[in-house]
Amino acid sequence: MSRIMIVVLSLYSFGSHVAIADSSDGIKPWLERMAVASTELSYKGRFIYNRNDDTSLMEIVHVAGENGSRERIVSLSGEDQELIRDQEGKVYLMNVGPPLLIDKGMRDIPLAVRLNDNLGRLLEHYCFELEKMDRVAGRKSQVISIMPIDNNRYSYRLWVDVETAFIIRSELSNEMGDVIEHIMFSDIELRKKPTDSMLEAVLYDEELVVANGNGSKAPLENANKHKGLWNVTGAPLGFRQTDSQDNVSLGTKKSVAYLMASDGLASVSVYIEPLKNAKNVLKGASRSGALSVYGRIVEDHQVTVVGEVPPVVVKRIGDAVIRSKMSQRQ
């Protein structure tokens, strides 16, 4: 359940279409409004999340701010869990006693911002279409479809609130056209300025935080050990390396290298760590619902690639991971 909730935190028959695949003129005003809404609106609501035939009901409070957003998300069905994500992207489990840091995370770039900022690049890989209007949670919505021009990425369908340009419903479909992830708000309160109750909902006592499951908030040893030593070469299938930083395997003290590759919309994470146990080796590609995973061994290191993309993409990216010559001499 925690993994599903973290994925949600990282987000966020209709007749004839108005195709604009060859021009951004029609879609650009919508994307500009959506980008503003995703960074400036605060909201509280309940939504249904369906993935891998598992349906969950959740409640979210999102407070926007100049230095980043803060969120609290509570599961209302299934396992009882409550998470808070702070302005730095760190995720805390809140219903087990003191706030427990379960994901070091990083600041996410909202989906709407990625679409707006990367439109020129995205038009190389996707077709954008405006569909007819629909209604979600009693609100008039413009449906926008984002269809890939090849089989190397998934398609998206977004329901955008006409009044505020907030994404109120979304669908993710695989390369076969099957819907593999669906998020839909059943009710929502949108505000330009957060209420006092919204602000209170995202607060927690930083002095009580327990990090990495070991009661310490201190940085782990060798935290910078791997930085800059690994890279994704080229731009396999249009996915370029966009980030390189240190990360920490959850629940352990070992540091791992972390890379990210993106086509401007979809993102793929790469984790590299020293191979210490030959019995726990991940090799080859697999898929579970929207998520594809690929593993290979490079110079006694386990390379693990994870992303909501077809298996061929994680394999191509994983096969493009190399260790720098400088690191090999160390």
Side-chain angles (χ1 to χ4, degrees):
M1 176 64 76
S2 294
R3 177 60 187 168
I4 291 176
M5 295 172 76
I6 291 173
V7 168
V8 172
L9 286 172
S10 340
L11 179 74
Y12 212 5
S13 108
F14 295 96
S16 61
H17 295 168
V18 182
I20 55 170
D22 297 326
S23 172
S24 62
D25 293 343
I27 200 69
K28 187 63 176 175
W30 280 101
L31 298 186
E32 290 174 346
R33 291 185 62 214
M34 290 160 59
V36 172
S38 68
T39 55
E40 295 186 1
L41 284 181
S42 296
Y43 55 88
K44 176 181 179 180
R46 292 186 175 186
F47 63 91
I48 298 169
Y49 178 74
N50 182 273
R51 183 179 186 181
N52 297 344
D53 296 324
D54 182 21
T55 300
S56 303
L57 178 62
M58 301 185 189
E59 183 175 79
I60 187 171
V61 176
H62 174 100
V63 174
E66 293 182 358
N67 298 319
S69 62
R70 293 170 287 164
E71 293 171 317
R72 178 185 291 263
I73 184 169
V74 181
S75 62
L76 301 178
S77 62
E79 187 178 355
D80 180 20
Q81 289 199 344
E82 183 175 349
L83 303 180
I84 279 185
R85 181 167 66 177
D86 67 14
Q87 292 167 314
E88 296 179 352
K90 296 177 181 177
V91 180
Y92 302 90
L93 185 62
M94 301 298 295
N95 60 320
V96 293
L100 175 65
L101 176 62
I102 62 172
D103 193 339
K104 183 179 178 182
M106 59 182 175
R107 288 188 180 181
D108 285 336
I109 301 176
L111 171 63
V113 174
R114 280 180 278 148
L115 289 170
N116 186 52
D117 290 350
N118 300 320
L119 181 58
R121 179 182 171 192
L122 291 174
L123 288 173
E124 299 175 8
H125 305 292
Y126 298 90
C127 296
F128 289 76
E129 293 184 355
L130 294 177
E131 301 184 7
K132 285 189 175 181
M133 297 290 180
D134 194 11
R135 282 172 59 83
V136 179
R139 305 180 72 95
K140 187 177 181 180
S141 304
Q142 170 65 61
V143 184
I144 299 175
S145 63
I146 307 170
M147 307 295 293
I149 62 176
D150 53 37
N151 291 324
N152 299 323
R153 52 209 91 229
Y154 292 157
S155 61
Y156 301 77
R157 206 159 178 235
L158 309 175
W159 281 253
V160 182
D161 179 44
V162 171
E163 180 183 352
T164 64
F166 178 79
I167 300 174
I168 203 167
R169 176 182 172 185
S170 66
E171 286 182 352
L172 179 68
S173 299
N174 62 20
E175 67 272 31
M176 283 82 73
D178 302 320
V179 177
I180 51 180
E181 185 175 276
H182 180 208
I183 300 175
M184 182 173 68
F185 278 89
S186 57
D187 66 81
I188 189 166
E189 176 186 356
L190 295 160
R191 290 182 172 270
K192 292 184 178 180
K193 184 177 180 180
T195 64
D196 291 341
S197 62
M198 287 179 176
L199 291 170
E200 183 178 352
V202 296
L203 295 178
Y204 64 94
D205 192 336
E206 296 184 17
E207 296 300 320
L208 298 179
V209 168
V210 177
N212 302 306
N214 60 12
S216 172
K217 292 191 294 182
L220 300 181
E221 294 183 3
N222 301 322
N224 297 311
K225 179 179 179 180
H226 304 290
K227 192 171 182 65
L229 303 184
W230 298 86
N231 292 285
V232 176
T233 58
L237 301 177
F239 284 78
R240 307 170 189 166
Q241 181 174 319
T242 57
D243 193 16
S244 173
Q245 66 173 17
D246 302 314
N247 207 337
V248 176
S249 295
L250 300 181
T252 74
K253 295 184 179 181
K254 61 185 178 183
S255 62
V256 301
Y258 171 78
L259 309 174
M260 177 179 286
S262 175
D263 66 354
L265 177 55
S267 297
V268 175
S269 296
V270 182
Y271 302 91
I272 305 108
E273 57 186 304
L275 183 63
K276 295 183 178 180
N277 188 345
K279 295 182 179 180
N280 297 325
V281 172
L282 174 64
K283 289 185 178 181
S286 62
R287 170 156 58 184
S288 176
L291 201 66
S292 294
V293 180
Y294 175 70
R296 65 185 282 246
I297 305 302
V298 180
E299 299 183 22
D300 296 324
H301 283 70
Q302 173 72 65
V303 175
T304 305
V305 189
V306 182
E308 290 190 338
V309 291
V312 64
V313 177
V314 291
K315 183 180 187 305
R316 288 285 295 274
I317 292 174
D319 289 343
V321 172
I322 64 169
R323 194 178 186 188
S324 70
K325 294 181 179 179
M326 180 179 297
S327 68
Q328 293 172 354
R329 292 195 296 266
Q330 292 179 350

